[in-house]
Amino acid sequence: MIRTLKKFFAFCGEENRKMFMTSVWLGVLGAVCSAMRIPAAYLVIRALLENDVTMGTLWSALGIVAGSVIASILINMKSTMLQTRGGYRACANKRIEIAEHLRYLPMGWFNENSLGEVASVTTNTMENMANVATRVVMITTKGFLTAGIIAVMMFAYDWRVGLVTFAGLLVFLCINALMQRKEQAVSQRKMNADERLVVRVLEYVQGIAEVKNFDLTKDSTTRIHEAVEECRKAAFGMEIPSVVFILLQFVANKLTGVAVCTAAVVFWFNGTLPLANCLLMLICSFILFEQLDSAGSFSTLFRSIDIGVEKANAILRVEPMDIDGRDIVPKHCDIALEHVDFSYEQKKILHGVSLTIPEKTTVAIVGPSGGGKTTLCNLMARFWDVQGGRVTLGGQDVKEYSYDSLIRNFSFVFQRTYLFSDTIANNIRFGRPEAGMEEVIAAAKKARCHDFITALPEGYDTVIGEGGATISGGERQRIAIARAIMKDAPVIILDEATANVDPENEKDLMEAIGELTHDKTVIMIAHRLKTVRNADCIFVVDGGKIVQQGSHDELIGQDGIYRRFVVERRQAAGWKV
């Protein structure tokens, strides 16, 4: 338990740890105040037995009790506020820390499992830590501290009864330690079950179109039901051992209470313990073991705290890319790949690729699916690190840049644009959060989305659904272009940005792209002939290698993939029913 408390305090951060430590010391003071009921009771008992009850005795006892109660209330109020504030702030800060850490992880780390893990940790685990962990720490520390102080006071009144009390405490703590050890395995199972449930729900919601399209509703819901059932079993599996050990703790407490009472009475009969002290020991035993019962019940949750901290730290331990470079502003934006090799795990994607993209030129990357086109662009912006060779921007290796100074030079417009559940203005402002409304509107006009935005009920303050679900695909693309215009990066990467656009939106989208790419270095991945034919240079990628490069006119005269690509597109365009 001590180890878990140390881990939890370290997890909370320096400022919040100070709050918790202050609350613990206040808890010690509160425990002393609670224990002051014992001297008050002793005064009254002794006066009754000696037939010497006076108003002074009663007022003294009442004063001690009243003072201890008032002090306990004030101390507990302050301690509770500190622990609650520290717990919520610690979890909020940890969510932010995880989000910041994710920015610098290689894109290859993000997959279905990792997304489920991140979602589970930042929602379920952190919520559990903020609500449950704070309460557990508060109640258990208070219970054990109060019990310990009362035990010390009992020892001071009679060392023999004190030894019996300490023996009972030792038995209780041994049972508690066994319980927490048993809880370790089942708590891990519960956390894993929660994580798998989040993965299944995310999978179902994100793939709902495919589920309905192929009538897989029953199969998909079955997988969710199985995950829910697994969570239920894991929850029961975690509670059953707890019930058994809590019962053992309860029995140990009661038997120790009986032993303390028996010892006190026996010592009184022997004439070695004054009657006042005997009665006081009986009262103390009830107060002490009441505190232990409460602390022992809540201590079952310490394993959940331990595992929650470990899960959050496990994400933070994932090795980020080396991002501690220099803050560099390149003198020019020439991009070069020199003998670049790259693999996804064991699968080799790029084989010794070399290419040069001069500043303020437009290049197109074409080729069969799976050939490595998107990977090339991702390596330029350092979404991944190369395994061989190097990538340069402005003549300097991208690894020499700090990641923030590197990414400032790139804007992406993807085939599948992601918009956040926020206002349209804030989605456009995402490229530059400090931008004013006039700049937002100017960017929207350049991206040809001002008209449809102003036609919405709330205009730029319209909140769109997560992922942009409440607007059309073409409108999402134009908002993404407005966001990229707002960022005003010198290098623009278009990854199939016009692939899924309907004819009604295509004209506006192409004009928006024209505004975005004016006087920029443009790298486009595309399959449409009219998109690539005017590029300054076309790179044809196949099997992780550049097999052709040149202008449209140069490549069309060569027998190869590009010529077949153009012929196939022309045939497809001329096909009629």
Side-chain angles (χ1 to χ4, degrees), residues 72-100:
S72 293
I73 291 172
L74 294 176
I75 290 169
N76 287 337
M77 185 184 301
K78 181 64 175 179
S79 177
T80 301
M81 287 300 298
L82 284 172
Q83 291 196 10
T84 303
R85 188 182 303 157
Y88 279 106
R89 285 180 55 177
C91 291
N93 291 342
K94 194 59 65 172
R95 284 188 175 106
I96 294 171
E97 185 180 348
I98 290 172
E100 286 294 313

Side-chain angles (χ1 to χ4, degrees), residues 212-270:
K212 290 185 175 181
N213 184 35
F214 293 99
D215 194 24
L216 298 175
T217 305
K218 183 177 180 180
D219 294 337
S220 295
T221 52
T222 297
R223 297 179 73 182
I224 293 179
H225 290 160
E226 288 174 351
V228 171
E229 181 64 16
E230 185 181 0
C231 275
R232 185 189 68 81
K233 290 179 179 178
F236 272 106
M238 190 168 68
E239 292 300 325
I240 290 172
S242 300
V243 171
V244 173
F245 280 103
I246 288 173
L247 177 62
L248 289 174
Q249 287 181 154
F250 180 80
V251 171
N253 270 347
K254 299 311 174 188
L255 290 178
T256 303
V258 171
V260 169
C261 293
T262 301
V265 172
V266 169
F267 295 145
W268 173 66
F269 269 119
N270 291 340

Side-chain angles (χ1 to χ4, degrees), residues 52 61 136-137 147 184 266 268 300 302 365 405 430 438 443 469 475 496 531:
D52 187 27
V136 168
V137 171
Q184 182 174 6
V266 169
W268 173 66
T300 60
F302 265 100
I365 301 176
S405 69
F430 196 76
E438 298 81 7
E475 290 168 344
E496 298 285 5
T531 305

Side-chain angles (χ1 to χ4, degrees), residues 423-444:
T423 64
I424 289 178
N426 284 341
N427 267 284
I428 295 174
R429 200 181 273 121
F430 196 76
R432 191 152 54 87
E434 72 281 2
M437 198 62 209
E438 298 81 7
E439 295 173 282
V440 170
I441 293 172

Side-chain angles (χ1 to χ4, degrees), residues 5 44 63 86 123 162 169 190 226 266 343 361 367 369 427 446 458 491 508 556:
L5 282 174
V44 175
T123 54
L169 283 175
K190 176 64 169 60
E226 288 174 351
V266 169
S343 301
T361 61
S369 296
N427 267 284
K446 288 182 180 180
E458 303 295 329
V491 181
D508 288 336
I556 200 69

Side-chain angles (χ1 to χ4, degrees), residues 392-413:
T392 64
L393 172 67
Q396 292 182 286
D397 196 313
V398 293
K399 293 181 180 180
E400 296 177 11
Y401 289 75
S402 67
Y403 190 75
D404 290 336
S405 69
L406 174 67
I407 207 65
R408 280 198 296 266
N409 297 286
F410 292 89
S411 283
F412 279 80
V413 180

Side-chain angles (χ1 to χ4, degrees), residues 4-180:
T4 301
L5 282 174
K6 288 181 178 179
K7 187 182 292 187
F8 176 71
F9 291 155
F11 167 85
C12 291
E14 184 64 31
E15 185 177 354
N16 298 308
R17 181 165 62 248
K18 289 179 180 177
M19 289 186 186
F20 275 106
M21 294 307 297
T22 302
S23 72
V24 169
W25 286 113
L26 287 173
V28 174
L29 186 58
V32 171
C33 291
S34 296
M36 290 306 293
R37 292 173 292 176
I38 296 171
Y42 181 73
L43 285 175
V44 175
I45 291 171
R46 190 177 66 179
L48 287 171
L49 292 176
E50 295 176 355
N51 198 21
D52 187 27
V53 178
T54 64
M55 288 305 296
T57 303
L58 294 177
W59 280 114
S60 296
L62 182 61
I64 293 173
V65 171
S68 67
V69 169
I70 293 171
S72 293
I73 291 172
L74 294 176
I75 290 169
N76 287 337
M77 185 184 301
K78 181 64 175 179
S79 177
T80 301
M81 287 300 298
L82 284 172
Q83 291 196 10
T84 303
R85 188 182 303 157
Y88 279 106
R89 285 180 55 177
C91 291
N93 291 342
K94 194 59 65 172
R95 284 188 175 106
I96 294 171
E97 185 180 348
I98 290 172
E100 286 294 313
H101 185 71
L102 294 177
R103 291 177 57 201
Y104 304 111
L105 297 185
M107 291 295 291
W109 183 81
F110 296 93
N111 54 46
E112 186 181 86
N113 291 328
S114 65
L115 291 178
E117 180 184 355
V118 171
S120 178
V121 169
T122 53
T123 54
N124 295 341
T125 303
M126 288 299 105
E127 194 67 23
N128 186 57
M129 296 290 287
N131 292 326
V132 177
T134 301
R135 192 174 301 121
V136 168
V137 171
M138 182 168 54
I139 292 175
T140 53
T141 53
K142 179 185 175 183
F144 284 121
L145 285 171
T146 303
I149 289 172
I150 292 174
V152 170
M153 293 181 72
M154 291 174 70
F155 191 87
Y157 278 101
D158 189 275
W159 65 271
R160 298 166 300 176
V161 178
L163 286 178
V164 175
T165 303
F166 280 117
L169 283 175
L170 183 60
V171 172
F172 175 88
L173 292 174
C174 288
I175 295 173
N176 188 267
L178 289 172
M179 176 181 65
Q180 292 192 41

